[in-house]
Amino acid sequence: MIRITNLSRRAGNRTILDSVNLEIRRGEIFTLIGPSGSGKTTLLRLLDLLDKPTGGSIVLDGVATDGSKAAELAARRKMAMVFQKPTVLNTTVAQNIAVGLRFRGERGSGISDQVQSVLDLVGLSGFADRKAVTLSGGEMQRIAIARAIITKPEVLLLDEPTANLDPENAAMIEDLILQINKTFDTTIVLSTHDMIQGQRLAHRIGVIMDGRLVQAGEIPDIFFHPVNRTVASFVGIEPIRGGIVERNEEGLGTIKAGNLRIQAVTNKPQGSKVTLCIRPEDVTLNKPDEPCPSGSARNCLQGTVTRLIPLGPFTRVYLDCDGIVVAALVTRKSEEELGIEKGSRLAAHIKATAIHVIPDK
Amino acid sequence: MQEIIDGVVQAFNLIITLNPEVFEIAALSLYISLSATILAALISIPLAGLIHFREFRGKKTLIIIIQTFYSVPTVVVGLVIYLMISRSGPLGFFGLLFTPEGMILGQTVLIMPIMMGLVISALGGVGRDIRDMLVSLGATEFQGILEIVREARYAILSAVVLGFGRAISEVGVAMMIGGNIRGSTRILTTSIALETGMGNFGFSIALGIILLGIALIVVVILNIITSGLSQEQLQALGGQHS
């Protein structure tokens, strides 16, 4: 549906977007994730032809988008964008929603029927005659979505649509996005810095960091096989430390990291330089005298608690195991049962399958 | 003290009895200033749009010059227009000096800068996000401009009303161009100046009350209009006259 080739944008001598190559398929929800300022908005604005790229091209539905003004307008009219900041015109809700139809030359009573049906869809049925500027942020954003979809766009671009909203409104908008995708088969490109939202909404994910598309793929690819340390820590995997693959026996590697030898599932051959990463929720903490369970391959490390970070019902515990710091996520209850405090000795049990081995570049 | 009390009593007498001379003067004032306002609006709004929507060299300088002319002394405008339309001036052959039409011309020139400046900031008050939104919804350039003007409509109306306020209350242009001729170019402000000098305080106070009444109506209209303004537009407008 959209083919992006070597797309770049520079402002002065600063590179905001650096040679992005990406293909977005018809009917999918593609989510761009990445930290604030990484270039997600820039990419969406380029896709919507609001800004001009300094290099590369965008092909929409087989047609290049860098032609005449008329061609640009025609391409833009196949798309619609919803911006991060909820924006409405200072008029009634109905007038706001109809504006895209008016631009396309539609007149008459057909408009109000269409307005009513999208208002029903976004759950604001009785709002047609209200003044749009008096609505709440969440309502305004739903108006913005209604205004975008009334023109039946083939591509809907959403730039952090829930970033300025409370969790309840954000969840409502997420439901709405899924529903639009299902009902109209609209191709949706959405940006977010919220990984969980990205995971919930996306068919596929692209990770943007410092203006580069560092990884694109299905959800498990991103969350379980991050391509590098930065992506790993962005998707919630803690890098532990670097090491060298000492042996690899049919996919079960032994990696020497500092003074420790860690077993991990990997296809990296002997001698590879790698970084070990782990999700804190995959680490089990036990009393130091607890025997290492037999069966599947796992690592049993002894360590001292160096730091505790309370996270609502959970606590993140940092354990120093011979110079390797492992983070573990435990419930408040097990924190009490184990009597964890700074300086406690504990054993960390980690399955070999839970250790992510990322090659060093 | 007695003078003031007598003056006020006489003033109310003149107003309540609908004194023809008082009302003739008030009507002429309204005719001249309303005409000037309409003329200035017809010229200023499209010009302001042109300045706002086009990028050109010296745009910032031009806007600063326009803003400087917000506070141009009325007598300076009076002087310049006088020189232009006097018998020997370049526009002398129209015979506009000492006519209501000449006064309309003078007031138009006087209030154009403030109207233009305020309309430019009214259009500027429509944020980048609104413009992006319109473009992304598939507006052509012309559709986008129309929509932005519509979005700024309350602020533009306020600019027009403020222009009227400056026109109706000025003395300099009216005195110098109109000449304060009884029954022909005598308006509220010039006759207050004259009658006060002649000691006819009652007449002056009556005209003053009418002038204040007009000011009150202007303020009420402005309040009704600005109640429709968004916060951002109010700031854009406020930033100009603060």
Side-chain angles (χ1 to χ4, degrees):
Chain A
M1 182 77 208
I2 307 174
R3 185 192 296 273
I4 300 163
T5 316
N6 287 328
L7 196 68
S8 301
R9 182 163 162 88
R10 265 180 291 279
N13 50 12
R14 214 165 62 86
T15 302
I16 306 170
L17 210 61
D18 191 5
S19 300
V20 170
N21 287 289
L22 181 64
E23 179 138 14
I24 288 159
R25 300 169 191 156
R26 189 178 293 277
E28 78 172 336
I29 303 183
F30 190 91
T31 299
L32 297 163
I33 62 173
S36 302
S38 56
K40 306 185 295 288
T41 301
T42 305
L43 179 53
L44 286 174
R45 289 180 61 91
L46 289 176
L47 283 178
D48 201 30
L49 313 179
L50 290 174
D51 296 326
K52 287 222 181 306
T54 47
S57 67
I58 301 165
V59 174
L60 176 71
D61 215 2
V63 184
T65 52
D66 52 356
S68 63
K69 269 199 166 179
E72 228 173 65
L73 184 67
R76 209 183 278 120
R77 285 186 174 178
K78 287 185 185 174
M79 301 185 276
M81 182 154 169
V82 174
F83 299 86
Q84 176 171 353
K85 184 180 161 206
T87 307
V88 292
L89 296 166
N90 187 5
T91 173
T92 62
V93 167
Q95 289 276 342
N96 255 283
I97 292 177
V99 77
L101 291 180
R102 281 198 286 113
F103 289 159
R104 284 157 180 79
E106 284 202 37
R107 294 280 177 275
S109 62
I111 288 187
S112 63
D113 292 344
Q114 293 180 61
V115 167
Q116 199 48 54
S117 83
V118 290
L119 274 177
D120 292 344
L121 185 73
V122 300
L124 295 173
S125 299
F127 279 60
D129 297 324
R130 297 269 288 269
K131 286 203 94 182
V133 285
T134 61
L135 302 181
S136 74
E139 287 162 345
M140 279 192 201
Q141 199 61 313
R142 281 190 276 161
I143 299 294
I145 292 177
R147 186 173 55 201
I149 60 174
I150 198 168
T151 59
K152 308 223 162 44
E154 292 177 47
V155 179
L156 180 61
L157 307 166
L158 302 159
D159 185 16
E160 305 234 14
T162 64
N164 289 341
L165 304 180
D166 58 87
E168 202 175 320
N169 270 297
M172 203 183 294
I173 299 239
E174 286 172 7
D175 289 339
L176 190 55
I177 293 167
L178 290 171
Q179 198 188 344
I180 290 166
N181 175 255
K182 245 190 210 139
T183 319
F184 306 110
D185 207 25
T186 313
T187 308
I188 295 179
V189 186
L190 171 140
S191 77
T192 179
H193 62 262
D194 176 357
M195 268 217 328
I196 297 167
Q197 181 176 74
Q199 200 172 358
R200 173 168 182 225
L201 294 178
H203 297 124
R204 290 193 308 140
I205 288 181
V207 184
I208 294 195
M209 292 196 164
D210 287 331
R212 289 167 168 277
L213 183 73
V214 286
Q215 190 173 6
E218 315 276 330
I219 293 170
D221 288 342
I222 309 286
F223 284 86
F224 299 109
H225 305 291
V227 288
N228 62 33
R229 286 180 71 141
T230 356
V231 177
S233 61
F234 189 73
V235 299
I237 304 177
E238 292 264 331
I240 314 176
R241 65 167 296 161
I244 292 179
V245 180
E246 230 177 28
R247 268 202 319 275
N248 194 336
E249 288 158 359
E250 291 168 11
L252 182 63
T254 304
I255 292 132
K256 186 168 170 2
N259 299 323
L260 291 174
R261 287 190 166 72
I262 308 277
Q263 290 196 302
V265 174
T266 176
N267 52 14
K268 296 290 167 289
Q270 192 177 340
S272 312
K273 281 194 168 180
V274 295
T275 298
L276 302 176
C277 298
I278 189 160
R279 288 189 168 277
E281 54 271 35
D282 289 337
V283 177
T284 330
L285 292 183
N286 290 292
K287 295 223 167 69
D289 46 8
E290 189 89 12
C292 207
S294 54
S296 60
R298 75 182 72 213
N299 304 282
C300 296
L301 310 174
Q302 301 283 329
T304 312
V305 175
T306 58
R307 205 170 153 211
L308 295 165
I309 301 175
L311 301 166
F314 299 102
T315 303
R316 189 183 279 248
V317 181
Y318 287 90
L319 206 61
D320 187 339
C321 310
D322 275 336
I324 296 183
V325 179
V326 176
L329 201 62
V330 296
T331 60
R332 274 288 162 84
K333 193 153 169 280
S334 38
E335 183 191 347
E336 276 169 28
E337 278 173 9
L338 289 165
I340 302 177
E341 53 187 45
K342 222 172 157 181
S344 318
R345 291 286 294 172
L346 289 170
H349 295 177
I350 313 159
K351 285 187 179 169
T353 49
I355 303 221
H356 304 279
V357 179
I358 295 165
D360 284 353
K361 288 266 163 69
Chain B
M1 189 65 206
Q2 191 54 43
E3 226 169 22
I4 299 175
I5 297 168
D6 287 349
V8 172
V9 171
Q10 199 198 341
F12 276 100
N13 259 329
L14 286 167
I15 294 172
I16 291 163
T17 57
L18 301 177
N19 177 287
E21 198 180 352
V22 167
F23 280 89
E24 192 190 322
I25 291 170
L28 186 65
S29 257
L30 277 176
Y31 162 69
I32 288 172
S33 295
L34 278 175
S35 305
T37 305
I38 292 167
L39 216 63
L42 287 178
I43 301 167
S44 301
I45 295 172
L47 269 182
L50 215 60
I51 293 170
H52 176 75
F53 288 109
R54 292 271 172 271
E55 290 305 324
F56 53 88
R57 274 176 61 142
K59 178 169 170 170
K60 281 218 172 100
T61 318
L62 179 60
I63 291 175
I64 288 173
I65 291 171
I66 291 171
Q67 288 175 346
T68 309
F69 274 91
Y70 285 10
S71 45
V72 63
T74 55
V75 283
V76 172
V77 175
L79 171 65
V80 172
I81 300 294
Y82 187 99
L83 291 174
M84 300 294 279
I85 64 174
S86 68
R87 286 272 168 257
S88 52
L91 302 174
F93 56 89
F94 285 117
L96 288 174
L97 196 60
F98 306 129
T99 64
E101 287 68 34
M103 296 163 80
I104 292 172
L105 176 68
Q107 290 193 348
T108 304
V109 171
L110 176 72
I111 64 176
M112 262 174 50
I114 196 163
M115 259 194 211
M116 240 196 286
L118 291 180
V119 171
I120 289 171
S121 44
L123 294 171
V126 178
R128 177 90 240 166
D129 37 3
I130 297 253
R131 294 211 235 168
D132 282 342
M133 184 249 285
L134 295 172
V135 172
S136 88
L137 286 169
T140 62
E141 196 180 353
F142 184 64
Q143 286 171 331
I145 288 175
L146 274 188
E147 207 61 43
I148 288 168
V149 170
R150 190 194 300 235
E151 187 67 10
R153 61 198 181 278
Y154 298 117
I156 291 173
L157 262 175
S158 302
V160 173
V161 175
L162 282 171
F164 173 73
R166 180 150 161 83
I168 191 93
S169 59
E170 69 84 29
V171 199
V173 171
M175 194 68 99
M176 292 167 78
I177 307 296
N180 198 19
I181 302 164
R182 185 173 191 174
S184 159
T185 61
R186 180 165 295 180
I187 61 167
L188 286 166
T189 50
T190 53
S191 62
I192 290 173
L194 178 75
E195 301 293 340
T196 305
M198 296 184 354
N200 291 335
F201 300 122
F203 206 78
S204 283
I205 292 171
L207 298 179
I209 290 170
I210 292 174
L211 201 52
L212 271 175
I214 293 172
L216 176 70
I217 292 167
V218 168
V219 170
V220 169
I221 292 172
L222 204 59
N223 268 300
I224 294 169
I225 290 171
T226 46
S227 68
L229 282 180
S230 73
Q231 217 48 45
E232 274 169 44
Q233 287 170 320
L234 274 177
Q235 275 166 11
L237 208 63
Q240 285 314 323
H241 38 112
S242 63

